[in-house]
Amino acid sequence: MSGPAAGEVVVQRSGRSRLRVRNCVAPEVARDLVAWFEGRPDVTRVRSRPRSATIDVDYDERCHDGDLARAARDRAHALTHPARRRPRGVQVSVTHVVAGRARLEIAGVSADELARLAAWLAEQPGVLAAAPGASSIVVRWANDDLDPAATARAIAASDPSEWPPSPPPADESPWRALCFDGAVLLAARRRFVPRSLLALAVAVSAEPTARRALRAVGERRLSVDLLDLLAIIVSVAAGAPGTAALITLLLSAGDYILHLTKRRAHGALAGAIKLEVPTAWKLRPDGQAEAVSTKTLVVGDRIVCDLGGRLPVDGVITSGAATIDTKALTGESTPRTCQSGDSVMASSVVVEGSIVVEVRRVGRDTTAGRIVQILESAGDKPTYLQRETERVADQLVMPTLGLAGAAALLASEIDRMTSVLITDFGTGIRISVPTSALAAMTVATRDGVLVKGGQFLERLARADAVVFDKTGTLTSGTPRVVDVVAVDGFDPSRAIALAAAVETRQSHPVAEALRAHTRAHGIAVPHGAVRDQSYAVGQGLVARCGSHEVAVGGARLMSARGITIDGARAALERHERSSVSSLLIAVDGRLAAVLGYADAVRPESRGVIRALAANGRRRIVLMSGDASGPATEIGRCLGVDEVYSELLPHEKAEHVRRLQRAGRVVAMVGDGINDAPALALADVGISLTGGTDVALDAADVVLLSGGLSKLPTAFRIADDAMRAVRTGLGIVIVPNALAIVLGALGVIGPGVATVLNNGSTVVAAMAALSPVLRRPRTTA
């Protein structure tokens, strides 16, 4: 299990029905967490211990501790990361209103939070634009009948964690710094500026480095920026402002290139799903279509999407049929055919046909919008490997200072000292590792796998136990008829037709299996003549269909009606041996047929399990709430290592905990519904229910296309990402270690040392970004 980063709040289970929150150093964070816990109905007692910076929480034993722990971690992360921190006392008032526009005065937020709020407001239905000012937001609406006061109330009630993150800084600022530093170096080389003024210019150009170094000192740690700052100071003090100017220029050049690299990584990640559809064809009440801004669409509107059009909303097709390309969301290369009643998602493309869609979700509330929000916040939490390597890099600051001082004293050469000071490992690590994670997440999203953060890629790569829920995960979740046996010469198709007829109004899975069987085999089902229905829970259904009395159910129903089942004994015994359930059909008091039905194994399950097992690398575990027979049979057929059956949701979570106590890193694969506690407790939770709300909320990794076929892809991408991380670390560590040795020996000067230091960082960052660069987008 990974250790916490410095300053990161840690939530752990400390006993039966108890959590302990550690590292609550900031008083405001501790106060907020205590208030949050006290406001939860499932929490029975909260005790805060400021001296040890801990909070102990007792909760109702009926509560799933995995759910509470995950919610507490999310709350702590939101409080300790400014981009997600909830502003206190947000106040909104309407100060000016004209036709289609209003100015809203906002109090209680910072400038950064005001910009995020404006971005959130601009995405709300009916809002055309929202421009932030000094302490206000000017809002423009598409319709004059929208109420500014209602908008003000919506702002006050909004959750700041849903506001978009602050945009990255524009490129112009690093570019201006680079130009200024170049001018300073030119002045130092040409010597047409007084030395005192030149020293002042070098001090100005070193300001970003000094700010980062002093911030680290304020946090009681020594960072690599301190080495850079000392190198600049030593050069100026030794009467070599030109060397100092060269160092600041090379540092600025490195910062600028790395800035562009990070923007490219984030841009590729956020751009993996295209949401920008400026206009849509909205149907008016008279049936005519008009072009409108997609920002004006609201739930209930109907839009037309023709050949080549990209859907701007989530909705349901009300008329028409089309072939839809969904690979922007699911990674599936084969378009699917959709017709009236089918659901469609934003960012999908109509490649054939034309459809009318009723709007169900718009903007960032769509499945694609929620995925983009997750991607935009990806990378907030560093991976364990990154934290460890950064910690080691910071620990090397003091030895580097000692080596620099020794080199200067022994050789009486300031340049040797400067060359050693200018070389570090930390900068490259802080850039290359997150960039590798972002690139891997971009590739994963293009392949239909949503990964919520780099730390989950790392855990996927380390996972040595994969736990599967059975129903709906390894199986389709819906039964199908697998065996039909006629009794006493009765026509089995006729028996099935009558059974499907009397089950017409039933919605349980077995009735669905009957109907699916009749459709698949072209069996005509009589409709409209069913009457006198009688349903007994746990037994079955009796009804009249035309002139026939039909009974559909189990042996208990047949026994209750005095119907002998002796002719079905052999079939029933065979079904029991094969872990297949039986359905008996009787017509006019005589047993007519026996059907065997079972939850069908997904066709891809066997190959997926074989790929994940990887010749013993991972242990495969099957957990099910079903009876032992079916679960054991499926486990045997698929080749899993362990099978556990008849488990309740909290018992699945306990089995996950047992694996973790045995030292396993556990990946849990499920649907996020009845296995939500186990998903929350696992080191990484994987959902295969596609882009549903449950999947997006419950899991750390989501297979957007549904099904298991993308699961090996997720593990492969995680393995590739960790290999890229290790490669990047090698690119950073080897040249910088060489530069330190050569600098201390006087073989290279400060300029070459700076080039090696920053150059290795840039090369590592570009290598990390290479998966994105060599795999161009293929979405329409």
Side-chain angles (χ1 to χ4, degrees), residues 133-206:
S135 59
S136 64
I137 298 176
V138 176
V139 185
R140 290 196 298 115
W141 288 277
N143 302 313
D144 294 342
D145 57 352
L146 289 178
D147 184 8
T151 301
R153 290 192 296 272
I155 292 174
S158 66
D159 185 354
S161 67
E162 297 178 354
W163 299 351
S166 302
D171 291 343
E172 286 76 9
S173 179
W175 175 250
R176 285 198 299 267
L178 185 61
C179 292
F180 177 79
D181 293 346
V184 172
L185 179 61
L186 180 63
R189 294 302 187 194
R190 296 296 179 87
R191 300 181 180 179
F192 55 78
V193 175
R195 186 178 294 271
S196 58
L197 186 59
L198 185 60
L200 178 61
V202 170
V204 171
S205 64

Side-chain angles (χ1 to χ4, degrees), residues 14 37 154 223 252-253 369 379 384 414 435-436 442 510 525 625 683 732 770 776:
S14 60
F37 278 119
S223 72
S252 294
Y384 173 70
I414 293 297
T435 303
S436 294
T442 302
V510 177
V525 179
D683 296 283
V732 169
S770 62

Side-chain angles (χ1 to χ4, degrees), residues 206-263:
E207 185 270 338
T209 302
R211 187 172 61 248
R212 293 192 296 265
L214 293 176
R215 185 188 303 125
V217 171
E219 296 171 356
R220 297 182 179 181
R221 63 184 180 88
L222 298 179
S223 72
V224 294
D225 295 299
L226 180 62
L227 298 177
D228 295 336
L229 182 61
L230 288 176
I232 295 169
I233 292 173
V234 168
S235 297
V236 173
T243 300
L246 176 61
I247 293 172
T248 58
L249 175 64
L250 292 174
L251 289 174
S252 294
D255 288 345
Y256 180 63
I257 295 172
L258 295 174
H259 172 77
L260 295 180
T261 303
K262 290 178 66 176
R263 282 180 62 87

Side-chain angles (χ1 to χ4, degrees), residues 30-51:
R31 285 194 299 269
D32 192 291
L33 280 174
V34 168
W36 181 80
F37 278 119
E38 290 176 341
R40 290 184 62 98
D42 50 0
V43 171
T44 58
R45 186 168 65 165
V46 181
R47 296 182 301 281
S48 178
R49 295 184 172 88
R51 287 189 177 182

